[in-house]
Amino acid sequence: MDKKKLFIIIGVFLVVVFLFFFFTANTNKFFNWNETYRIDSKQPYGSYIYHELMKSYYGDSFTVMKSPIASNLSNEQESSLYVFLGSEPYYGYEDIDSLISFVSAGNAALMSSVLFPYDVSYEIYLDKCGVISSEPAEKINMKFSDQPDEYSYEYIVYWQPVNHYWGYLDSLSCPDAIEVLSSFNGGKPNFFRTKYGKGYFYFHTTPLVFSNYYMKNEKSLEYIEQMMSYFAADHVYWDEFSKTPLEKTESKDSPLKYILSQPALKWAWYLLLATIIIYMIFYAKRRQRIIPVLEPNTNTTIEFAETMGYLYFEEQNHKKIADHKMNLFLAYIRHNYHLHTNVPDDNLMNRISLKSQVPLEEVQKIFKEYQRLDFKVEIDANDLIAFHHMIESFYQKSK
């Protein structure tokens, strides 16, 4: 076979391989559409973005619980918020007692899940006031009880809307005990609360709104902001532990416990371990020492910025990003200096300057620049960068 025929065969083979990957490659395979709601998941139905926003807002006042509720919450805490976000919470009896005592002492609990634990519903008499039912639909329109705006949501799988069972509180028989805060499709309550002791239990039957897929949407962010306005918490406890069934969190060394309980098996186990250790010692001398690979330090802030940048990359909407920057700036003012930012007048700017010890001129410059950008329909990248530097300069100089 001459070289010309060989090159032709190789060329045809490469073309066939290219066409195969071109027509069979599917972006869906890079995404997991399961509803995990885990904070480390950047998949469509993970909660990485919402978790990062909460962590950046509350800072050191944000705690991720990786152990049972009973070892984290108590009735001695005040002005705190417990958050569970997942398909279903898995509680033990001690966890339920601790959660109820925590709320009764004057704190709040937000539980956003498809299924609610019966034990909690029974303890707070929620099961006597209604049942959690569901309505099949591809799309729903949510609406807060005290506001006219509606928020549309579709259940998406592989980038296509599909039928989904949307949960809501059906047969509400205790209107005095249950306060409906949000509903969908003509009055089906999906966000409601009930008072218990000095605190409140908040229930939300649509955890999808907190997922990464919907958090990139402007209207969805607005819905979340309105929901979180009901909570005035100084500390947030995010429950990541209760997303896993109790049987999976139990110790996995039960077979070893049985082995160690039997004398013959115990000595056989020790002999096996000793043999393995002796073998590894003599085997290691005959080989070159393995050079350890040092993993680079990870920076979750950079990962979060990359994720947010990717979400807005296709839209190229600099004005939307500027709006988010201003909302985060105002949230920073409210959280750190306890100032109301509803009316951005001269009095507010003077108080921000006094409390933050940043020159008044720089504070005024931020508000004037945002007012200028807000009047524009579109802004370019240079305007966004300049506005970003103004806010970052404030963060660096503020006390």
Side-chain angles (χ1 to χ4, degrees):
M1 182 182 296
D2 56 14
K3 293 184 177 180
K4 184 176 181 180
K5 290 183 179 180
L6 180 61
F7 288 147
I8 291 175
I9 294 174
I10 294 175
V12 172
F13 175 77
L14 293 177
V15 171
V16 172
V17 172
F18 172 79
L19 292 176
F20 173 81
F21 283 103
F22 179 81
F23 288 106
T24 60
N26 190 347
T27 56
N28 294 334
K29 67 182 180 180
F30 298 107
F31 292 96
N32 180 1
W33 293 88
N34 293 328
E35 299 173 33
T36 62
Y37 304 107
R38 302 200 67 85
I39 61 176
D40 56 353
S41 173
K42 299 180 183 178
Q43 299 300 324
Y45 293 138
S47 59
Y48 174 79
I49 295 178
Y50 180 62
H51 166 262
E52 290 296 320
L53 289 175
M54 291 283 285
K55 185 171 67 173
S56 64
Y57 178 77
Y58 286 98
D60 295 336
S61 299
F62 184 84
T63 301
V64 177
M65 296 165 47
K66 297 184 178 180
S67 57
I69 292 178
S71 60
N72 290 274
L73 302 182
S74 69
N75 55 8
E76 297 179 358
Q77 293 158 323
E78 297 179 353
S79 301
S80 297
L81 171 65
Y82 164 83
V83 176
F84 175 84
L85 174 61
S87 298
E88 178 182 2
Y90 299 93
Y91 298 141
Y93 292 113
E94 293 182 356
D95 299 328
I96 295 175
D97 292 340
S98 297
L99 180 59
I100 290 177
S101 298
F102 171 79
V103 174
S104 179
N107 301 292
L110 170 61
M111 302 169 63
S112 182
S113 61
V114 179
L115 300 174
F116 296 111
Y118 172 78
D119 293 332
V120 175
S121 302
Y122 177 81
E123 289 291 339
I124 64 176
Y125 308 106
L126 179 63
D127 60 320
K128 296 182 179 179
C129 295
V131 295
I132 301 298
S133 184
S134 61
E135 177 176 279
E138 290 185 0
K139 181 179 180 180
I140 62 171
N141 293 317
M142 296 186 186
K143 177 181 175 298
F144 285 99
S145 301
D146 57 351
Q147 295 184 12
D149 296 337
E150 291 190 347
Y151 305 88
S152 298
Y153 288 90
E154 291 180 313
Y155 186 68
I156 304 297
V157 177
Y158 298 119
W159 309 112
Q160 297 294 329
V162 298
N163 206 36
H164 180 67
Y165 286 88
W166 305 88
Y168 66 95
L169 182 64
D170 193 10
S171 303
L172 179 60
S173 58
C174 306
D176 296 334
I178 304 296
E179 181 181 359
V180 177
L181 305 176
S182 173
S183 57
F184 68 88
N185 289 6
K188 294 180 173 58
N190 71 317
F191 181 38
F192 47 93
R193 72 177 181 179
T194 179
K195 188 172 181 58
Y196 191 86
K198 298 180 181 179
Y200 283 92
F201 276 97
Y202 292 80
F203 297 93
H204 194 274
T205 63
T206 319
L208 287 173
V209 301
F210 298 94
S211 63
N212 296 329
Y213 184 84
Y214 295 101
M215 288 296 291
K216 70 177 183 178
N217 182 273
E218 181 74 17
K219 291 292 290 184
S220 182
L221 284 174
E222 182 180 336
Y223 179 85
I224 297 299
E225 290 176 358
Q226 292 294 334
M227 180 187 299
M228 297 308 296
S229 66
Y230 286 96
F231 312 109
D234 295 333
H235 198 110
V236 173
Y237 293 90
W238 181 291
D239 189 355
E240 195 71 6
F241 180 83
S242 300
K243 295 179 181 179
T244 306
L246 297 177
E247 57 269 17
K248 292 185 179 181
T249 61
E250 293 178 352
S251 177
K252 299 180 180 181
D253 60 354
S254 53
L256 183 58
K257 287 184 178 179
Y258 175 76
I259 291 174
L260 297 178
S261 66
Q262 304 297 321
L265 294 177
K266 179 174 68 173
W267 284 109
W269 172 253
Y270 288 153
L271 180 60
L272 176 62
L273 291 180
T275 304
I276 293 175
I277 293 174
I278 293 173
Y279 172 80
M280 293 179 63
I281 292 175
F282 284 95
Y283 184 71
K285 291 182 178 181
R286 301 176 60 88
R287 294 176 59 88
Q288 182 180 356
R289 186 177 181 182
I290 299 176
I291 301 175
V293 179
L294 299 179
E295 296 183 358
N297 295 329
T298 59
N299 190 331
T300 57
T301 303
I302 295 177
E303 292 180 3
F304 176 64
E306 290 177 350
T307 302
M308 293 300 294
Y310 173 78
L311 292 175
Y312 289 102
F313 176 74
E314 293 183 357
E315 297 182 9
Q316 293 291 320
N317 193 335
H318 301 107
K319 189 173 187 301
K320 184 186 295 184
I321 300 177
D323 292 337
H324 286 315
K325 291 288 296 182
M326 190 62 183
N327 289 335
L328 290 175
F329 171 74
L330 295 177
Y332 177 86
I333 297 300
R334 291 192 296 269
H335 183 260
N336 289 275
Y337 304 120
H338 307 288
L339 297 175
H340 295 286
T341 59
N342 297 332
V343 181
D345 53 10
D346 293 338
N347 182 38
L348 175 62
M349 298 178 194
N350 288 328
R351 298 182 67 185
I352 293 175
S353 176
L354 289 174
K355 290 198 172 187
S356 65
Q357 298 184 19
V358 176
L360 179 60
E361 294 77 11
E362 295 189 18
V363 177
Q364 293 174 337
K365 188 177 181 181
I366 293 174
F367 282 90
K368 289 180 180 179
E369 179 65 13
Y370 177 72
Q371 186 178 17
R372 184 182 71 85
L373 297 178
D374 193 37
F375 277 111
K376 290 186 175 183
V377 178
E378 295 182 355
I379 65 175
D380 56 23
N382 293 328
D383 289 335
L384 178 61
I385 292 173
F387 184 60
H388 169 77
H389 287 321
M390 292 180 189
I391 294 180
E392 289 299 320
S393 175
F394 177 89
Y395 290 152
Q396 294 174 1
K397 296 179 180 180
S398 61
K399 303 296 184 181

